[in-house]
Amino acid sequence: MLTQIYVMFFMQYFIPSTAVLLCNTHLSRGLVAYQKNRDVEPFRLTAGRIHAASSHSTVSSSRAASMHWTGERVLSIVLLMDYSIAAALTLHGHWGIGQVLTDYVYGDVKVKLAKAGVLLLSTTTFFGLCYFNYHDVGLCKAVAMLWQI
Amino acid sequence: MLLTTVARQGLCLSRSQFGVLYRHVVPMGTTANEEMNKFWAKNTRLNRPVSPHISIYKWSIPMMMSISHRGTGVALSSGISAFALAALVLPESYPYYLDLIHSMTFGPQFLAFSKFALAFPVAYHTFNGIRHLAWDLGKGFKIPEVYRSGYIVVALTVLTSIGLAAM
């Protein structure tokens, strides 16, 4: 995604070692990169001051800075989207399967068992999706990556 | 539930005090759910056969679309659950498995077809879902309208799936 490409380019420019780190952990989303970028803030400001004489680099660094700010907001929204999608999908699926159960399962004991089973499945599904969002690339990115094959 | 039963009987008693007119009224001591369970318990116990219904009734487009909506819903839900469980259980990360698939030599037509096969149930369930929402608002219940909206849903599904598969 554009944000990740931008972040990786930006980081490699200032701290080469993080380039290696990012390449190894690119799957752990922008979360790690986001944290690293916060550490880099004071460094970047110093770099800006050193090259104050050359107007070109201050213009480009402020453009880079504002792009970075936008990148942060975009990332936050995408993260929000990932978790919203996870919640919406699991809840809709839970209620949907519940309706199917109500239509086809009869008898108090069987209904109770089936409902408990579906609740367990839905809870596990939601937990699994959140785990994927946090530790892996996230739902939106996953679909994008799958479609690029 | 017990309270309702007692209350109902109490009501009936007070009504019968007021004369012959109400004597034919019998209180319902069971809920609808209980009646349903009693029906199924009795009929399965007596091993009674079920009358043919879906095996003899003439299939119609609305019928087929309705069960397809349920079918795609269950399929999609199962897929999501399978994905979530895989995320919890499998050792490697998502990009690793994607690279595995990528390394396998699938023809472009097979890939395009697979994308179509994935997109189709999502598109169908979404568009038919919107059709359901329109019904929930009370719109489009006339039979010609039901058929027309059905055809539109199928057309949109096919077009969207082709479009998504081409991406």
Side-chain angles (χ1 to χ4, degrees), chain A residues 26-27 89-90 92-94 96-97 99-100 102-108 111 121-122 124-129 131-132 136-137 139 141-143 145-149, chain B residues 33 36-37 40 67 70 73-74 77-78 80-85 87-88 92-96 98-99 101-102 111 114-116 118-119 125 161 163-167:
Chain A
H26 71 283
L27 23 107
L89 282 178
T90 36
H92 182 69
H94 179 71
I97 304 280
Q99 288 296 329
V100 177
T102 314
D103 278 351
Y104 302 139
V105 178
Y106 307 113
D108 288 326
V111 167
L121 181 68
S122 295
T124 316
T125 304
F126 182 63
F127 185 71
L129 288 180
Y131 177 88
F132 185 81
D136 216 321
V137 291
L139 283 172
K141 186 93 173 80
V143 174
M145 286 168 76
L146 178 69
W147 233 246
Q148 273 156 22
I149 291 186
Chain B
N33 207 22
M36 215 169 63
N37 288 337
W40 282 107
I67 191 61
R70 177 160 274 188
V74 173
S77 196
S78 314
I80 302 258
S81 292
F83 179 79
L85 287 170
L88 287 170
E92 301 291 339
S93 66
Y94 182 73
Y96 174 84
L98 264 193
D99 284 335
I101 301 173
H102 192 61
L111 286 172
S114 306
K115 288 184 185 177
F116 181 85
L118 276 174
H125 194 81
S161 304
L164 285 173
M167 281 170 66

Side-chain angles (χ1 to χ4, degrees), chain A residues 2 13 29 49 52-53 57 59 68 78 92 109 112 117 149:
Chain A
L2 194 64
Y13 186 72
R29 284 293 232 129
R49 247 177 263 131
S57 65
V59 166
H68 171 71
V78 176
H92 182 69
V109 177
K112 262 209 171 97
I149 291 186

Side-chain angles (χ1 to χ4, degrees), chain B residues 136-153:
Chain B
D136 293 341
L137 288 168
K139 303 157 90 76
F141 275 110
K142 293 205 187 75
I143 294 297
E145 289 172 337
V146 170
Y147 276 83
R148 199 179 312 137
S149 58
Y151 294 138
I152 293 174
V153 163

Side-chain angles (χ1 to χ4, degrees), chain B residues 117-138:
Chain B
L118 276 174
F120 192 86
V122 178
Y124 179 83
H125 194 81
T126 307
F127 289 124
N128 206 40
I130 297 172
R131 186 166 165 241
H132 263 284
L133 289 173
W135 287 334
D136 293 341
L137 288 168

Side-chain angles (χ1 to χ4, degrees), chain B residues 28-40:
Chain B
M28 287 297 291
T30 52
T31 63
N33 207 22
E34 288 169 342
E35 291 288 317
M36 215 169 63
N37 288 337
K38 272 167 62 183
F39 170 87
W40 282 107

